[in-house]
Amino acid sequence: MHKPFAIFDMDGTLIDSMQLWRSLGQEYLESKGITEGLESIREEMRPLTMSESAALFVARFGLLVSPQAAADEMNHIMDAHYRKDIPLKPGVREHLERLRQAGVRMCVASATAQHLMEVCLQRLGVLSYFEFVLSCESMGTSKREPDIYLEAASRLGTLPSEMAVYEDALYAIETAKKANFYVVAVYDTEEDDHWDQICRLADETITFH
């Protein structure tokens, strides 16, 4: 990676949390007594923020809570994981250190809620590598639109063409490429089915191990 600026996604890119996220919806819905139709909704959830997923659950399954209350309950489940047991991906700390030594300025842009990002990265001892963290939740957007990447570029005072976006998810990689960012695709087992397509889109790929 030869760019002077880098935006890192968090889940599936910096930390090993995607399996927990993938099972969160099922865990939450089962706590509400819902056991059918869970497989089909997993793919629908993939590009959604927590609030969007909660709204989907309330509408699809007729939950007797508000979308905000459902999101709060789901956040509570993940909050415990971010605080206690989600690990950094192997090799990430070393990669961040190499970039810092090379003078690369870095930030994080994630669909995860801001306070969860900060708690987790602080616990793992890597928050100091980043100048700031941005949350789709806080910005009221998703990575289906380039807004969060463009905001990061604006805050760092540079152009998309001068920034590398580290991402694991196909839909986010597609968004970053369309907005003229340099994309470093990070391998994650949750994107196995899309890896060939991701490799064709990305400017380079990396597997942390």
Side-chain angles (χ1 to χ4, degrees), residues 168-180:
D168 65 303
L170 174 60
Y171 78 95
I173 288 170
E174 291 173 332
T175 300
K177 283 296 293 181
K178 288 177 183 175
N180 200 35

Side-chain angles (χ1 to χ4, degrees), residues 94-112:
E94 292 79 2
H95 189 78
L96 293 175
E97 184 59 32
R98 283 195 293 273
L99 293 182
R100 180 157 70 179
Q101 292 296 324
V104 176
R105 296 175 62 190
M106 296 175 278
C107 66
V108 180
S110 170
T112 303

Side-chain angles (χ1 to χ4, degrees), residues 35-50:
T35 58
E36 296 183 357
L38 303 183
E39 280 300 318
S40 63
I41 209 165
R42 289 181 68 174
E43 281 303 312
E44 292 183 59
M45 284 182 59
R46 187 185 290 264
L48 303 182
T49 65
M50 182 85 80

Side-chain angles (χ1 to χ4, degrees), residues 28-29 32 34 54 57-66 70 73:
Y28 175 70
L29 290 170
K32 299 295 184 184
I34 297 165
F57 293 161
V58 170
R60 181 71 56 84
F61 298 102
L63 302 182
L64 299 178
V65 296
S66 68
E73 292 171 350

Side-chain angles (χ1 to χ4, degrees), residues 159-183:
L159 299 171
S161 59
E162 293 301 309
M163 297 196 76
V165 173
Y166 285 70
E167 281 282 359
D168 65 303
L170 174 60
Y171 78 95
I173 288 170
E174 291 173 332
T175 300
K177 283 296 293 181
K178 288 177 183 175
N180 200 35
F181 287 88
Y182 183 91
V183 171

Side-chain angles (χ1 to χ4, degrees), residues 193-205:
D193 292 345
H194 301 139
W195 186 241
D196 288 345
Q197 190 175 352
I198 286 172
C199 289
R200 289 193 292 272
L201 276 173
D203 296 289
E204 61 180 280
T205 64

